[in-house]
Amino acid sequence: MDGRIGRMGDLPLTCDGSSLQIMDGGVMARDTRRIAVLGFDGVNSVDVVGPIEVFASAGRADFTRGDSKGLYQTCVIGLTKEPFTSESGLRFLPDCTLASAPVVDTLIVPGGWGLRVPTTNTAVSAWLRNRATRIRRVACVCTGVYGLAPTGLLDGRRVTTHWRFAEDVAKRFPRLTVDANALFIKDGRYYTSGGVTAGIDLALALVEEDLGPRVALTVARELVVYLKRPGGQEQYSEPLRFQVQSADRFSDLIAWISAHLERDLSVTVLADRARLSPRHFSRRFSETFGCTPAQYVDNIRLIEARERLTAPGRTVDSVAASVGFASADVFRRRFRRRFGVAPSNYRERFLTARSLQFSRSRIPEATL
């Protein structure tokens, strides 16, 4: 199957990979920025397509009230001009080659077994060593870190990758500080992310840096992403861990609980949904997961509440109600007991840290 992913636009581009675009309706002019994704035989196709879909959606006129050509241009850079084949057999036709690649604003380095083939790795790393410092942002998706790490540009930096490869990356590149748990990490101009779909989360974060949370959340909704997860969220989430542990009817129940935290999740309700008596349900649940149903529900509610506290416009009371706590006072006590800090203090610290991070990384006002 052949498919061209992204097309080089006809807008004149400046030395930083962007071009001025006048928006319709009297809206402030913005830069159209070129997003490039590297491609090679043995690439993970989702690592390529996922971020491209995010940027393409972010530039849609109905999201940004801008020109139909969008705020981003995407292109795929191949090692050669020939089509390359992904791990799954999907074939891509690159827009250009390493030798003819244009100036770009943001570069995505996808993962896949092909990047660990010596000839491919050498070619990609050599090109990155020469070009990366002239690119505003370089983002590695999943095992894409294998392409950037040999350049030395990540030395002394904190990075993440797919949890299965974290130990190997740490051994091969001891000057990197590898966090096997993070969904994605920013360190300077370099970004790294965990496995496959984490590239979508990372791309949403990059869009948020450029265009703000409203556009990023709208894109997440358009792509039917369950939740736009922050970078600090674990790759191996609590619901996923419990789903992996359970191969029977509890697997579906765990997903249902996570999607209905505001409801009555008593043992009676959960047992009825699992088609078991309350006593039998409680015993089997405890044997499977090592905790009671009530303990599990309480923990998941607190973890989800912690994420919702970071959303703009949310109050402690509204978050408590949204995840099913009977009162805000009960929520505050349990949150403090679980995380060692009051929910209001947690929210204040998070927003302060995020504000400082955003102020360091946002595009200069002069370029908007």
Side-chain angles (χ1 to χ4, degrees), residues 12 30 60 91 141 154 160 176 201 244 251 255 299 313 332 344:
R30 294 182 184 270
R60 279 179 45 185
R91 300 181 71 231
V141 179
L154 294 179
T160 190
L176 276 58
D201 296 285
V244 169
S251 180
N299 190 44
R332 289 186 178 91
S344 57

Side-chain angles (χ1 to χ4, degrees), residues 124-144:
V124 169
S125 296
W127 186 83
L128 287 171
R129 187 178 292 110
N130 180 54
R131 292 289 295 269
T133 56
R134 290 178 280 158
I135 299 173
R136 183 169 69 96
R137 299 184 297 205
V138 179
C140 298
V141 179
C142 195
T143 54

Side-chain angles (χ1 to χ4, degrees), residues 8 13 17-18 32-36 73-75 102-106:
M8 304 287 284
L13 296 177
S18 64
T32 296
R33 298 185 176 273
R34 180 184 281 139
I35 312 298
Q73 293 175 309
T74 59
C75 68
V103 174
V104 301
D105 170 78
T106 300

Side-chain angles (χ1 to χ4, degrees), residues 101-332:
V103 174
V104 301
D105 170 78
T106 300
L107 178 70
I108 307 294
V109 184
W113 65 262
L115 192 56
R116 299 189 292 281
V117 174
T119 53
T120 298
N121 187 269
T122 297
V124 169
S125 296
W127 186 83
L128 287 171
R129 187 178 292 110
N130 180 54
R131 292 289 295 269
T133 56
R134 290 178 280 158
I135 299 173
R136 183 169 69 96
R137 299 184 297 205
V138 179
C140 298
V141 179
C142 195
T143 54
V145 70
Y146 281 97
L148 189 58
T151 67
L153 296 171
L154 294 179
D155 288 358
R157 299 182 185 275
R158 182 168 166 257
V159 303
T160 190
T161 186
H162 190 288
W163 57 268
R164 185 180 293 173
F165 294 89
E167 184 177 354
D168 182 64
V169 170
K171 288 180 179 179
R172 292 195 189 198
F173 309 104
R175 294 184 179 181
L176 276 58
T177 300
V178 181
D179 183 342
N181 203 34
L183 198 65
F184 61 83
I185 291 174
K186 173 185 178 181
D187 195 327
R189 73 172 69 211
Y190 302 106
Y191 301 70
T192 51
S193 68
V196 191
T197 57
I200 295 175
D201 296 285
L202 175 54
L204 286 167
L206 298 180
V207 168
E208 183 173 0
E209 282 189 4
D210 293 345
L211 305 175
R214 183 188 66 81
V215 175
L217 288 168
T218 303
V219 172
R221 183 178 182 184
E222 175 71 10
L223 297 179
V224 198
V225 177
Y226 173 66
L227 178 67
K228 191 181 78 65
R229 301 172 289 182
Q233 182 161 321
E234 301 173 354
Q235 290 186 38
Y236 203 39
S237 65
E238 285 288 291
L240 178 58
R241 178 170 69 85
F242 279 93
Q243 281 183 296
V244 169
Q245 284 180 237
S246 175
D248 61 10
R249 70 187 75 184
F250 286 159
S251 180
D252 289 339
L253 180 65
I254 293 303
W256 185 85
I257 290 173
S258 298
H260 299 88
L261 293 177
E262 77 286 357
R263 295 192 182 184
D264 176 8
L265 298 179
S266 63
V267 169
T268 301
V269 171
L270 298 181
D272 182 67
R273 188 164 186 85
R275 297 184 177 85
L276 296 171
S277 69
R279 182 175 181 180
H280 189 199
F281 169 78
S282 295
R283 180 177 60 80
R284 284 190 54 184
F285 192 98
S286 297
E287 289 174 352
T288 301
F289 301 124
C291 65
T292 67
Q295 289 171 333
Y296 173 79
V297 169
D298 194 62
N299 190 44
I300 293 300
R301 280 174 165 159
L302 289 170
I303 290 173
E304 176 61 22
R306 181 180 60 180
E307 303 303 331
R308 296 186 186 187
L309 281 169
T310 65
R314 303 300 294 267
T315 66
V316 172
D317 286 9
S318 68
V319 168
S322 72
V323 296
F325 281 96
S327 72
D329 287 339
V330 171
F331 168 62
R332 289 186 178 91

